[in-house]
Amino acid sequence: MANEIPFFLSKVECPICKTINEFETLKMGAYVEEDRDTDFCPLEIKWRSPKYQSYNPLAFFVATCSNCYYSHELTNKFKEWKSDNNFRTYKLKAIKDVHLDQLAVSDSFVKRIGEAIDLDLFPNESAILKLHLAVFDEQAFAHHSKLDVGRYYLRIGWVFRGLESFADPMQAAMQGMLSDLNSRYKTLWGAVDQSRDEIGKFVEYSDALFNTDDITASLKSQLLPFNERFQAAGKGIADSLESTSQQLNSLNDLITEFRSVSIGGETADSSGAKFGKSASFNQFLTELKENWDGIVTNEHEALEKAVKNYSEAYIEGRGIAQGNQQIQVLYLIAELSRRVGDYETAKEFFNSTIKNGQEYIYRNRNDKSRTALARKILELAIEQGKENMRVLKSS
């Protein structure tokens, strides 16, 4: 039946407050994916039931307790958490303490997020909020899985991308250009900051040269004018950089003014609709960000968080299996770095993906089923690596 309910209910006791929840679990075949983007985001989803066509399936990815808002990826393992000795022994107490501390605060961001979740009115925005809560509760454990946190942020980015698809095409295009313009502005500001630090280090080093005990007093006297000239030159460059910083602040004001005219202001979201008591969903997230830096307000920020956590997970090596999973993580670090404008890091990890992928495929050349995923990722890495090099050469 075309209008059949696409999920069944799973009863799960909340590990934090012991509430028995009934979570909506998607049935096999509830929807089909037509294709995937280069970071594996589904490009087109078709639900068997037209009623849910406006829903992103990720709205059902996370289980959020109706009472205390504790959130976790809805997996079979989570459903059976009472049998998970590792979770109960090592993680649960730490997570519970941090989560309950949040609930004790009258206007905590956990409460604000939890109370704002509404799958009927805001299914896709609710998916983003639930994923944020899953990130928070995972990070409450000191030795949390950075791989899981990276996966959650990547999915937040996917949902944001889907939200933008509901916008007016012209406005969506302007938002994309503004996101790129803002990213380039941040890079420019970072370069000036780095230059300011370097000139400070240079002045300190040059001054130390003239005050070392390794040269005689008479030589110091002869070199003193040079020290004064070095200091004056350094001050001149520092003053120029300060003037540049002021001009960059003016440029930021110009970008803000341009944003206001082109898409209606900083807080305009894809739909332009109010979100609860906030003017928009973007404004709601921006307000939450003041209380927790784990909040992201758009796809770009989500992908930045994703690549950071994937990179840390890869460095740690914990929870990443050799073979297909390792190759996939390497590729995601490369592709997400490319998408956020870090083309040098992207180049490094595309090369690592290709090298590791080729070696893995060769070692398992007699098992095509085992290397099928690696072959697909290798093709993507070669293709996206070329695109990344094109951008690098043109910049």
Side-chain angles (χ1 to χ4, degrees), residues 222-237:
Q222 294 178 25
L223 296 178
L224 180 61
F226 287 95
N227 187 21
E228 293 172 348
R229 290 164 64 186
F230 273 124
Q231 298 300 310
K235 184 179 185 303
I237 295 173

Side-chain angles (χ1 to χ4, degrees), residues 107-170:
D107 197 31
S108 69
F109 63 85
V110 166
K111 279 187 176 181
R112 292 181 66 190
I113 293 176
E115 291 170 356
I117 292 172
D118 189 327
L119 287 176
D120 293 324
L121 288 178
F122 306 106
N124 303 314
E125 292 86 349
S126 294
I128 291 172
L129 296 179
K130 289 165 69 177
L131 280 159
H132 271 99
L133 287 175
V135 168
F136 175 78
D137 283 321
E138 176 61 31
Q139 290 183 330
F141 180 54
H143 304 290
H144 62 271
S145 169
K146 292 183 172 64
L147 188 63
D148 283 344
V149 173
R151 288 193 305 110
Y152 296 163
Y153 274 121
L154 176 59
R155 280 154 179 77
I156 291 174
W158 291 354
V159 183
F160 271 119
R161 198 176 306 169
L163 284 178
E164 292 177 1
S165 68
F166 291 101
D168 174 77
M170 180 64 73

Side-chain angles (χ1 to χ4, degrees), residues 112-347:
R112 292 181 66 190
I113 293 176
E115 291 170 356
I117 292 172
D118 189 327
L119 287 176
D120 293 324
L121 288 178
F122 306 106
N124 303 314
E125 292 86 349
S126 294
I128 291 172
L129 296 179
K130 289 165 69 177
L131 280 159
H132 271 99
L133 287 175
V135 168
F136 175 78
D137 283 321
E138 176 61 31
Q139 290 183 330
F141 180 54
H143 304 290
H144 62 271
S145 169
K146 292 183 172 64
L147 188 63
D148 283 344
V149 173
R151 288 193 305 110
Y152 296 163
Y153 274 121
L154 176 59
R155 280 154 179 77
I156 291 174
W158 291 354
V159 183
F160 271 119
R161 198 176 306 169
L163 284 178
E164 292 177 1
S165 68
F166 291 101
D168 174 77
M170 180 64 73
Q171 188 182 58
M174 287 303 303
Q175 284 179 328
M177 287 188 287
L178 279 164
S179 177
D180 186 55
L181 183 66
N182 192 54
S183 177
R184 291 173 185 272
Y185 170 78
K186 288 180 179 178
T187 300
L188 186 60
W189 183 263
V192 173
D193 265 350
Q194 184 176 1
S195 297
R196 187 188 290 110
D197 291 341
E198 291 301 322
I199 191 60
K201 292 176 184 177
F202 177 83
V203 169
E204 289 179 6
Y205 180 74
S206 62
D207 185 57
L209 284 178
F210 295 101
N211 291 285
T212 179
D213 294 334
D214 295 335
I215 58 177
T216 62
S218 60
L219 183 57
K220 283 183 181 180
S221 177
Q222 294 178 25
L223 296 178
L224 180 61
F226 287 95
N227 187 21
E228 293 172 348
R229 290 164 64 186
F230 273 124
Q231 298 300 310
K235 184 179 185 303
I237 295 173
D239 289 344
S240 297
L241 288 172
E242 185 59 35
S243 175
T244 302
S245 296
Q246 293 173 4
Q247 291 174 324
L248 281 173
N249 284 329
S250 297
L251 179 58
N252 187 46
D253 293 339
L254 178 60
I255 292 173
T256 301
E257 183 181 352
F258 177 59
R259 176 186 293 275
S260 178
V261 173
S262 61
I263 63 172
E266 182 72 33
T267 60
D269 63 6
S270 299
S271 64
K274 285 178 61 66
F275 182 79
K277 296 179 181 179
S278 300
S280 69
F281 184 52
N282 181 278
Q283 184 184 70
F284 177 72
L285 292 173
T286 301
E287 292 167 355
L288 289 173
K289 201 169 187 176
E290 296 176 3
N291 300 109
W292 181 43
D293 62 4
I295 295 290
V296 293
T297 62
N298 54 54
E299 179 189 346
H300 188 89
E301 291 179 2
L303 297 189
E304 285 182 325
K305 293 278 191 183
V307 74
K308 176 180 181 294
N309 282 277
Y310 273 122
S311 299
E312 291 176 356
Y314 177 71
I315 292 170
E316 289 181 356
R318 184 165 55 90
I320 300 177
Q322 296 291 315
N324 283 320
Q325 187 180 32
Q326 183 187 53
I327 295 167
Q328 187 172 35
V329 169
L330 284 169
Y331 171 74
L332 280 172
I333 294 172
E335 174 61 7
L336 299 182
S337 296
R338 184 190 70 83
R339 284 174 175 264
V340 300
D342 187 355
Y343 301 113
E344 288 293 344
T345 298
K347 176 185 175 182

